[in-house]
Amino acid sequence: GPAAGSAKSAGVKDESIKLYNTVTTPPGERVVMALPDGSKVYLTSNSYLRYPAQFDRDKREVTLSGRAYFEVKKSTTPFIVSTSDMNIEVLGTSFDVESRNTRDNSSVILVEGSVKVLADGKTRVIYPDEQISLHRITREMTVRNVDSKLLTMWKDGVLIVQGQSFSELIESVSSWYGVE
């Protein structure tokens, strides 16, 4: 009857009024913030994070472009970081995600716990001190051992430039300080 129809449209309307917050960090600036569930996010320069004002019951999902370090509050509700080419799913842990359109690789560095990385219909689980990289063009996924504490020191205001090519170094430094 007509009642069912109106209930349906009301449901659609509710979906459209879901409120999102977006945070964009300009060059040379870093931001630390708390999400609705108490998780902490460190957002580095030239990055963008979008998250709902209130998380869904069945998932806690945020969208990232750029680089961020997440300290996720433990919960049975999955926490998902969605980027342009992969989704990272955890139940509660600390990890670093970098996904920029200017870079050949997107990557996840895990500090503790475990994370599930989903890309191109494939799932990989990584463990502490592992970095998974997804090549944007070849779509090849590689996992290597890294010093996660060292590689995530940027969140504490320390710029580490180990193992970068010169052009990546220039990009890192100019982004970090907000200068050309």
Side-chain angles (χ1 to χ4, degrees):
S6 63
K8 195 173 174 193
S9 63
V12 171
K13 197 164 146 221
D14 284 350
E15 203 49 41
S16 67
I17 58 166
K18 187 169 180 182
L19 296 173
Y20 284 89
N21 296 320
T22 59
V23 179
T24 305
T25 50
E29 286 190 28
R30 287 167 294 287
V31 168
V32 186
M33 54 203 233
L35 295 177
D37 66 339
S39 294
K40 247 169 114 173
V41 183
Y42 299 76
L43 204 57
T44 191
S45 313
N46 296 322
S47 298
Y48 163 91
L49 187 77
R50 177 177 183 263
Y51 61 97
Q54 202 175 339
F55 283 128
D56 294 341
R57 283 206 183 92
D58 59 337
K59 67 175 191 290
R60 301 174 283 167
E61 187 165 14
V62 303
T63 303
L64 171 73
S65 173
R67 185 173 189 179
Y69 181 89
F70 294 88
E71 287 173 1
V72 177
K73 267 267 172 13
K74 284 200 173 17
S75 164
T76 52
T77 308
F79 185 100
I80 299 161
V81 180
S82 169
T83 72
S84 61
D85 46 17
M86 57 185 178
N87 282 356
I88 300 99
E89 188 178 312
V90 304
L91 294 174
T93 184
S94 299
F95 59 101
D96 178 293
V97 180
E98 184 163 24
S99 175
R100 297 186 186 280
N101 297 332
T102 54
R103 292 275 170 96
D104 287 343
N105 287 295
S106 290
S107 73
V108 180
I109 299 169
L110 182 58
V111 178
E112 55 187 38
S114 71
V115 305
K116 200 156 66 172
V117 178
L118 300 90
D120 305 331
K122 293 191 293 262
T123 303
R124 285 291 288 271
V125 174
I126 60 167
Y127 298 98
D129 286 322
E130 286 188 339
Q131 175 180 38
I132 190 166
S133 297
L134 175 68
H135 195 280
R136 291 207 120 90
I137 315 297
T138 65
R139 310 303 292 169
E140 189 188 1
M141 244 192 239
T142 49
V143 176
R144 64 189 183 111
N145 291 312
V146 294
D147 182 336
S148 65
K149 292 274 192 289
L150 186 71
L151 293 183
T152 56
M153 279 177 77
W154 64 265
K155 78 178 194 314
D156 304 313
V158 180
L159 179 62
I160 301 285
V161 294
Q162 190 183 355
Q164 290 189 322
S165 68
F166 189 70
S167 62
E168 285 173 339
L169 170 63
I170 295 296
E171 189 190 338
S172 295
V173 173
S174 73
S175 170
W176 185 264
Y177 292 109
V179 293
E180 283 297 306

